[in-house]
Amino acid sequence: MADNTASPLTSPTASPFHRALKSVLSVGRELLAKQKGVPKLVAGSAESLTALCQELLNHRGEASGLALAEEIAAAYSELGEAQKLQFLLSLANDFTVDPQGVVESAARYRDDPSQDNLEQIAHAVEAPRKKLFRRINMAPEGTRTLVALRGDVLALSREYPELKGLDSDLKHLFVYWFNKGFLDLRQIDWSSPANVLERLIEYEAVHEINGWEDLRGRLTDDRRCFAFFHPAMKEDPLVFVEVALTKEIPHSISPLISLERESLPADECTTVVFYSISNCHPGLAGISFGNFLIKNVVKLLAEEIDTLKTFVTLSPIPRFRNWLINTDLSELVTEEMAEKVRAPLGKVVEVEVRDALLRLCAHYLLNVKHGDGLAFDPVSRFHLGNGASLHRLHWGADLSHSGKTQSAGIMVNYLYQIPKIEENHEEYFNNRKINASTSLVRLLS
Amino acid sequence: MADNTASPLTSPTASPFHRALKSVLSVGRELLAKQKGVPKLVAGSAESLTALCQELLNHRGEASGLALAEEIAAAYSELGEAQKLQFLLSLANDFTVDPQGVVESAARYRDDPSQDNLEQIAHAVEAPRKKLFRRINMAPEGTRTLVALRGDVLALSREYPELKGLDSDLKHLFVYWFNKGFLDLRQIDWSSPANVLERLIEYEAVHEINGWEDLRGRLTDDRRCFAFFHPAMKEDPLVFVEVALTKEIPHSISPLISLERESLPADECTTVVFYSISNCHPGLAGISFGNFLIKNVVKLLAEEIDTLKTFVTLSPIPRFRNWLINTDLSELVTEEMAEKVRAPLGKVVEVEVRDALLRLCAHYLLNVKHGDGLAFDPVSRFHLGNGASLHRLHWGADLSHSGKTQSAGIMVNYLYQIPKIEENHEEYFNNRKINASTSLVRLLS
Amino acid sequence: MADNTASPLTSPTASPFHRALKSVLSVGRELLAKQKGVPKLVAGSAESLTALCQELLNHRGEASGLALAEEIAAAYSELGEAQKLQFLLSLANDFTVDPQGVVESAARYRDDPSQDNLEQIAHAVEAPRKKLFRRINMAPEGTRTLVALRGDVLALSREYPELKGLDSDLKHLFVYWFNKGFLDLRQIDWSSPANVLERLIEYEAVHEINGWEDLRGRLTDDRRCFAFFHPAMKEDPLVFVEVALTKEIPHSISPLISLERESLPADECTTVVFYSISNCHPGLAGISFGNFLIKNVVKLLAEEIDTLKTFVTLSPIPRFRNWLINTDLSELVTEEMAEKVRAPLGKVVEVEVRDALLRLCAHYLLNVKHGDGLAFDPVSRFHLGNGASLHRLHWGADLSHSGKTQSAGIMVNYLYQIPKIEENHEEYFNNRKINASTSLVRLLS
Amino acid sequence: MADNTASPLTSPTASPFHRALKSVLSVGRELLAKQKGVPKLVAGSAESLTALCQELLNHRGEASGLALAEEIAAAYSELGEAQKLQFLLSLANDFTVDPQGVVESAARYRDDPSQDNLEQIAHAVEAPRKKLFRRINMAPEGTRTLVALRGDVLALSREYPELKGLDSDLKHLFVYWFNKGFLDLRQIDWSSPANVLERLIEYEAVHEINGWEDLRGRLTDDRRCFAFFHPAMKEDPLVFVEVALTKEIPHSISPLISLERESLPADECTTVVFYSISNCHPGLAGISFGNFLIKNVVKLLAEEIDTLKTFVTLSPIPRFRNWLINTDLSELVTEEMAEKVRAPLGKVVEVEVRDALLRLCAHYLLNVKHGDGLAFDPVSRFHLGNGASLHRLHWGADLSHSGKTQSAGIMVNYLYQIPKIEENHEEYFNNRKINASTSLVRLLS
């Protein structure tokens, strides 16, 4: 039986392959140092990093090329804000396609639509930075660096729209590199390596993990955690989901994440609650894994534990209160009530507004749409797009600061029913139909 | 310490993740069966497989899409020769770009070279089959199927040049998917899994492995074997190299692969002989790993065993005799000798022609070039391209049938000297310079 | 997910811990070489090996002691027959208790039954060789050597009864070292390491495995294999069981082990057939694992595959024919029939004797007992002792040479019914009751 | 390459073998429940636990016996203090040898010293509780429970000397079970499982680990940690050593364990400092692993990193101050100085007493002996017994509370020189010679 209770004698980073790679890199560095004409890196300088990228794009030696790629990856992570922007803009502007070349190759193809001429256009429309990124990707930290780099691009692209082509190229590469066929699903528990676990603490986006004791509570007994990993980022999850096994659909979040809760034997549980899903890398935006992860976990748990029958989320409704405040509610509630439901936080959670708020929330989830005709709320878009249905609203379910300011303290269950998810998904996308339980729909009337 | 001496209790194919995936697939199959309009597969029919591919290209459901991809992968491997050709031609012709679309998008870009218009062309020049292949790649056997498919395409493309675009698309995908940053270097020895080892017997291309006893002899004591693997083809090596540790540069191949040889203690050895390199998948032609593999292994062994100082191959010269027979040798040897060196096999290996043949061989390796100015012999192209140098010729070194008919029984060492390989590589590609030892050059005079 | 598809980069025997141990050993060897008074080993000499053992018994240095232990382990395996006997006799006679010391310590205890005096006797009755064995056991191959040594002792002890004390000491040690709490259950399949698999070929005791293709057939698809391992003999199974999944209780052995059989999908199977159990080490005789192995495998398969309901063996009756020939059958069959059923092999398997032989066989299994009142047949003793019951006889089920000469071609199923095994076990041992199916009992009438 | 960066999909405790074992146990529990005459456990009652032990000793069924063993192991850990003592006393008194049986078997042996009669005594002097413990050891938590139980016995045995026989039996079993040949050396680093790492925090005996951040600092960069594990206690180290790589022999402990220290590249280090060795289980007292661990680590690091040449400890002198206070120092220092060196803590660390204290400390280490003629200080006994030598004293090296109250703030290096350790060890034990550096000896004059 595989022994997973401790690390091997030497840590992964000192494993023989890594040693080989490190040696190849060290040889590469020596060779690089001897080569004439290779620009020298000035730490923190975008310009010098750009020059290095230019060199890598045209470089020939394999070992020295690898050393160059590694140097670039390391240097990028040490740029200051301003230099980082300058470097990204230079990637966007200087490592881009030559419009003249595109036009000319297109003209040749128009005259003679041969395979060769087609490939000429394909080559002309591919920005040189894509080749550069492929080369950077060979370095040990290459993939991670490029994912971080796209994260930076996305954060800046609203302000600097000229970065969009750069984003588009990276996304295109990631679609290939992060093909679902390459991913690894792993259960994470208290016997997982500490360097993986510390990432969970770092990445948890929904309900903060307060240190190692809190983490342990989320990984043992009647709690589960699953994540997708990519082979080039071994100890770094792409997305993870935290799961509670319970005897009934929970009414609020706090008992789920409380350190004091009593643990249930797994085989007495009937319900699986996905109470937190975290995408770990902003740079992977648009490369969706969460959907596939949830489906795999549903199947896995259903097979492992016979008694589990109900699979739900316990989710926030993060844009609800914002919508509440900024919308004309006059057709929905009286003016007086409108004022009450928009009242400052502490005051809201009172019985008199309860019914009105739940009704408004049901309205928000069922009827408020984006321009594309799909659900407005981002969490709702995710789960309904996955083929889940709206199941139940819970009053006063998240009384944390963010729970109150974003979701007015309300939480909602999305229900995953394996036999219906593809049908729901089709109806949602083809007919803009939002599936919901009768009890939730009834709130509207 | 990691226990690698036996498989886990359940085999990898029954691992929980595979079970989850299998369940998702089985759900997908059920959902698929219920969906209207999905074409039914007729076993062995190219037409019906094409229809399925068309469906997958436009399919929405994730689980059912995965089931579809799996069905396509399985169905392809069961097509007969004729149907396979028909299917490949249909991929080439029906899943290809729309020239009109290309021309139109190019015209728009010419008028307005915006990022959006650029992406329009990029989209237009990407054949729909690339999306199809990305989807097939998500199925458990997807990557392997596509590698095999490209192998078939390459075998047929001489006769059917219309397959070239299909080949080009697959190669383009593989460049991304088989990025060196994703590969795993592993040592293979007698404690490796049998399902990996049987691949070595199957794939060994240079010196046939005659069953498990022979294999064992190549994996134990003073023998080593290293391979690259890809995460999506876990038990299937991409390329492997067989290595002998010796006390001197060997004069012929038979003592290296003999079952009766005496084994040497590793720490008495001084020399590493790469006596066989096998690329395992014709479908990965042009995606080169051998070069990187050799360099890693050189470094790895140099670090592991202090006494190892010399790293050479013992290689055939596979086109030498063919060249000998089809070339006018009149400027190189007398007519009488020309006749002798071309004489039928058994007769050749005689002392009287020895000097002439070695001289001709040195000439062949040093002076005979391709149209591109680089070495003519394919093995020579590989090692010189890697930065090795020609080191020594060995008379009567391979007296097997193929050894005599291809290389006139001669073998050659290519020498890998870490500090010189990039320089050699540069000189070779930039100046067409072939580096060789003085003793080998002296043969010419 | 643990990657079990290939060995690590360096093989287990070159793992860092083994390297550390090897270094400690190499230091130990040097230190040993410098020490005065340490006897020198003469290869193949029992006398010199005995002297080394004497030294180890009194040795102080840890590293050099380890080197000594290793030397002894290696030297033992290279002794010739005669020298081995001499060495074992010397272990039996020279490393034994001092009767005088026993008597004296007993006298002291009789006068004063204190804890101290008790420990004095305990110490006096423990032969010094037990300490010697504990020290040998620390060497890398120590455990394996001692297991082999006891195998030799057992083979010789009939002829040399003075070896019995030696056997008894080793067995006593093994009872501790091979405590069931220390064993590892592993499934063995075609992804297991070759160095483990070759042991199966070597050890299979019931139905010979003819090479790697045959082995593969026993490890894939609807076949399973499970083994117990001990941490100190990692790649060397202690006992393994071969299992076939079938749709019904099989009538004969040949379809089970045929290379041409068609494979069944596991989830269509209802029946688990244990068709071969092999104890791998004669030196572990009396330390029983097979019983526990079968129970674990029954539970494991019952949990893994829902459809499996019936768990049986298909077993030989190895002493049946011997009993047939050497017993007075006059109360059981006519004299004429007695002659027929005892007829030479080929002739026997005929319809006319079928009923008589089956009846005799049922009688043999149900009524023929050892002096201890338990079943006479050794295989029967094993399975009935485990709590199985006699289920069904199969005529002409094993027509191999051994099948005919030992079991008259008949095979029997022992049935394992989890809820009944302990009850059966109790009844068998307490009341000498052999549980059997009515159909089998009915054969007697 | 073995992937050690994350746990497998299902945690070890849910691995198939554990599931099999759990099933066998659950079957066992059912069978047990049905059996008549099995005493029922009353939680927290020593008497009822004793009755269960009596049952297990005579129990026959394997599965139900295993369930019984598991129940006993669990019940023991839940006994209160008083009940625990009562239970241990009952193990000591009721599961012990029958003196009459011993005397009688001894008498038979005296009359006829046969192997059989010898085994009779051996059997008679073995307390029945040893068989009981062997059976408890088969349960999943059996080994751990028995180790804890002996820990309790040792803590109580000063007050209750009648527990000594019980201790002696357990120690005897542990000598077999924890044979060095069965241990696993593992490096522990930040990629080790959290459930292993939390044990380090718990067990660290010398320099407390303050939470996970502190732990991380001791496992990364220029720090190393190694431990021995036993296969039956997989995630629970037996002993571990913490190591710092440095450029010189350190003068004090605080820079070694400071969270703010700067990390050194391993290949610039020359010195290995063993700054903390922790035995994890009081119940394993007298079964020494630390010695062997240090030697293995010395060799391992010497091989891994070429530049490491010096191997020292940085150790406390825990009984020094106690000795100082309770000894007549009149032959060593003036009365005035004696008073000063014994002064309360804060006052001591002053320059005026520095020389006197260092001289006294050298005297203490070199000349103060136990009754057995070996070193008096326990840490000194350990390292000198391992073959290390006294190397250097450091004034003001540990200014923590315990550092000052125990060692007067002084620390000492013990030097491990591989070529000399066995010689030192011999001289120390045979001639009571303590090896020390000249500089340390010179302090005396």
Side-chain angles (χ1 to χ4, degrees), chain A residues 84-103:
Chain A
K84 195 170 271 186
L85 174 61
Q86 185 187 327
F87 174 66
L88 294 176
L89 288 171
S90 143
L91 283 182
N93 299 323
D94 307 343
F95 292 76
T96 191
V97 302
D98 167 23
Q100 193 57 29
V102 175
V103 170

Side-chain angles (χ1 to χ4, degrees), chain B residues 5-7 9 11 186-187 189, chain C residues 6-7 9 11 186-187 189 196:
Chain B
T5 51
S7 76
L9 188 49
S11 73
R186 299 190 204 141
Q187 183 172 348
D189 63 19
Chain C
S7 75
L9 187 50
S11 73
R186 300 190 203 141
Q187 183 172 350
D189 63 19
V196 171

